[in-house]
Amino acid sequence: AQSVAQPEDQVNVAEGNPLTVKCTYSVSGNPYLFWYVQYPNRGLQFLLKYITGDNLVKGSYGFEAEFNKSQTSFHLKKPSALVSDSALYFCAVRDINGDNYGQNFVFGPGTRLSVLP
Amino acid sequence: DAGVTQSPTHLIKTRGQQVTLRCSPKSGHDTVSWYQQALGQGPQFIFQYYEEEERQRGNFPDRFSGHQFPNYSSELNVNALLLGDSALYLCASSHGTGIIEAFFGQGTRLTVV
C-alpha cells in the first residue's frame, strides 16, 4: 500500500528566509507525487507534481520540490518565504490501484507552515 | 469559470440521521472524487465516480454511498450518522485519465451531534 509521511507537524520560518517542508513516501511502483496547500476554511490548492523527468519540479507561487529516489523523499522548498505562505501543506501520492481512471490520492497528515514577519 | 462548488457549506445533523452532500465539478471535468478530512488530519479517499459509475473506493463502510449524474455532478450520501462522521467533506474533480492533479472544492463541514 502507498503511504506518505510528513515528519514535522509545524514549521516556523522568518519572512525572506528559505523554507523546506519535508515529505517521504512509500510506494510499490513508480512514485507519482503531489503537493497541495490548504488555507483556512478553503479546499486544497494544487502546487506541483512529479511524474517523471527532472528531479527538481517547479510549481505555483514560487514553490519547487526536489524528488530524491534513493531517499524516497519529495521535499517542498521556496527560496524566500512570504507571510502569505502561512498555511497547511499536504504531500500526496497517487494510488494507482490498477487503472488510470482518476485521482485517488493518499495524503500525508499535513505540515503547518508559519512565516513570521 | 467557476471551480468546484459544494453545497451546503455547513451542516449540523443528529446521530442516526442521513445526509446528502452535493458537488458540481469544474467546467469540462468528468471525474469526481470525495474525501473526508477529520480535524487535524489529511484527507482520506472515500470513492471516485467516472461515467456515472463508482470506479474506486477507499476504506469506508457501506453507509457511505454516492451517485454521479449525466451532467457530471455528484452526491455523497451518509446513512446512520455517527459522531465520528463529523469532518470536512471535500469534493475533487478532474478531466480524463492519467496522472493528473485534481481541483478541490471548499468543502462541506458536517457536524454530527
Side-chain angles (χ1 to χ4, degrees):
Chain A
Q2 330 282 20
S3 66
V4 173
Q6 294 181 244
E8 300 158 317
D9 292 336
Q10 174 95 28
V11 170
N12 297 320
V13 63
E15 187 175 28
N17 283 0
L19 69 88
T20 299
V21 182
K22 296 180 180 178
C23 171
T24 59
Y25 65 88
S26 174
V27 301
S28 54
N30 292 322
Y32 303 116
L33 300 160
F34 296 73
W35 275 101
Y36 281 85
V37 60
Q38 186 175 36
Y39 296 98
N41 301 313
R42 303 282 296 275
L44 278 68
Q45 296 180 27
F46 168 75
L47 285 178
L48 49 80
K49 67 182 177 184
Y50 172 83
I51 298 176
T52 186
D54 289 342
N55 290 340
L56 186 63
V57 179
K58 294 190 181 297
S60 305
Y61 313 117
F63 284 94
E64 58 190 27
E66 186 170 8
F67 171 70
N68 188 316
K69 188 173 183 177
S70 63
Q71 297 185 4
T72 61
S73 67
F74 189 55
H75 300 332
L76 181 70
K77 300 181 179 184
K78 188 174 183 181
S80 179
L82 300 173
V83 172
S84 57
D85 293 330
S86 298
L88 192 54
Y89 290 80
F90 291 99
C91 182
V93 61
R94 186 175 177 274
D95 188 352
I96 301 300
N97 198 24
D99 69 48
N100 281 325
Y101 278 115
Q103 73 276 30
N104 49 307
F105 295 104
V106 176
F107 285 90
T111 297
R112 186 164 300 282
L113 172 68
S114 292
V115 181
L116 308 174
Chain B
D1 171 30
V4 179
T5 58
Q6 293 185 241
S7 62
T9 306
H10 295 85
L11 201 54
I12 300 175
K13 288 287 189 178
T14 302
R15 188 173 48 185
Q17 285 187 317
Q18 178 266 343
V19 68
T20 297
L21 310 182
R22 295 176 175 82
C23 171
S24 292
K26 182 179 171 64
S27 178
H29 286 186
D30 54 10
T31 303
V32 172
S33 289
W34 288 90
Y35 291 80
Q36 181 194 66
Q37 185 178 15
L39 199 62
Q41 298 182 21
Q44 285 195 297
F45 173 70
I46 303 175
F47 43 53
Q48 175 202 47
Y49 280 85
Y50 174 70
E51 293 184 335
E52 301 180 50
E53 290 188 21
E54 183 182 296
R55 299 291 180 168
Q56 294 182 356
R57 189 179 182 92
N59 188 26
F60 280 81
D62 292 345
R63 298 187 298 109
F64 290 77
S65 63
H67 189 78
Q68 186 180 34
F69 299 93
N71 67 352
Y72 308 118
S73 67
S74 177
E75 288 182 349
L76 163 66
N77 301 292
V78 186
N79 294 323
L81 284 166
L82 304 174
L83 297 180
D85 295 331
S86 296
L88 181 68
Y89 288 85
L90 296 167
C91 173
S93 75
S94 67
H95 172 68
T97 62
I99 314 300
I100 48 180
E101 63 270 25
F103 289 77
F104 284 79
Q106 84 286 356
T108 294
R109 173 72 63 186
L110 172 65
T111 302
V112 182
V113 297

